[in-house]
Amino acid sequence: QVQLVESGGGLVQAGGSLRLSCAASGRTFSSHVMGWFRQAPGKEREFVAAIWWSGSTISYAASVKGRFTISKDSTKNTMYLQMNSLKPEDTAVYYCAVRSEYAVNYDYWGQGTQVTVSS
């Protein structure tokens, strides 16, 4: 069974930075895509960024491009999200998820970590 555990959330002032981590376990990841999503109160969950476990393909939502950086450490089965120049509208619960490269939907999700950006 795949397990995803996020960490690194917290409270930060606008303009500050946070680094989220997502530790994955339960299987070997090769032809997979790992992604970050977020859900703010009263809003639908939205895509933030994704990284292909093999190769170097990366994708970002327009709202975070240039401010957030997704990366991975394959030796640790861990994915990261470096968030810089944070804005109050980045406040949300951040989730990591994984899917096969050949699938559309993400199969496994973490429990989420809260990010709060104060103005």
Side-chain angles (χ1 to χ4, degrees):
Q1 182 74 5
V2 173
Q3 286 192 319
L4 303 174
V5 179
E6 303 98 334
S7 61
L11 173 64
V12 64
Q13 287 189 332
S17 299
L18 281 175
R19 189 195 195 203
L20 305 183
S21 299
C22 174
S25 62
R27 69 168 300 157
T28 300
F29 297 97
S30 54
S31 301
H32 290 84
V33 179
M34 292 190 73
W36 288 101
F37 293 78
R38 66 186 182 185
Q39 187 167 20
K43 295 188 176 181
E44 293 189 354
R45 185 170 58 197
E46 64 175 359
F47 170 77
V48 175
I51 187 166
W52 273 242
W53 210 251
S54 61
S56 57
T57 302
I58 285 175
S59 176
Y60 292 103
S63 59
V64 306
K65 201 168 187 178
R67 300 188 299 121
F68 291 9
T69 302
I70 190 171
S71 63
K72 62 180 174 66
D73 184 338
S74 300
T75 64
K76 297 181 180 179
N77 261 9
T78 300
M79 175 178 65
Y80 304 97
L81 186 68
Q82 178 67 43
M83 306 185 295
N84 299 328
S85 303
L86 282 162
K87 306 175 181 179
E89 50 264 43
D90 293 318
T91 295
V93 177
Y94 284 71
Y95 299 90
C96 66
V98 65
R99 64 172 173 85
S100 165
E101 282 185 4
Y102 311 104
V104 174
N105 297 319
Y106 284 79
D107 300 305
Y108 300 97
W109 294 81
Q111 82 288 350
T113 186
Q114 176 70 47
V115 171
T116 303
V117 184
S118 63
S119 56

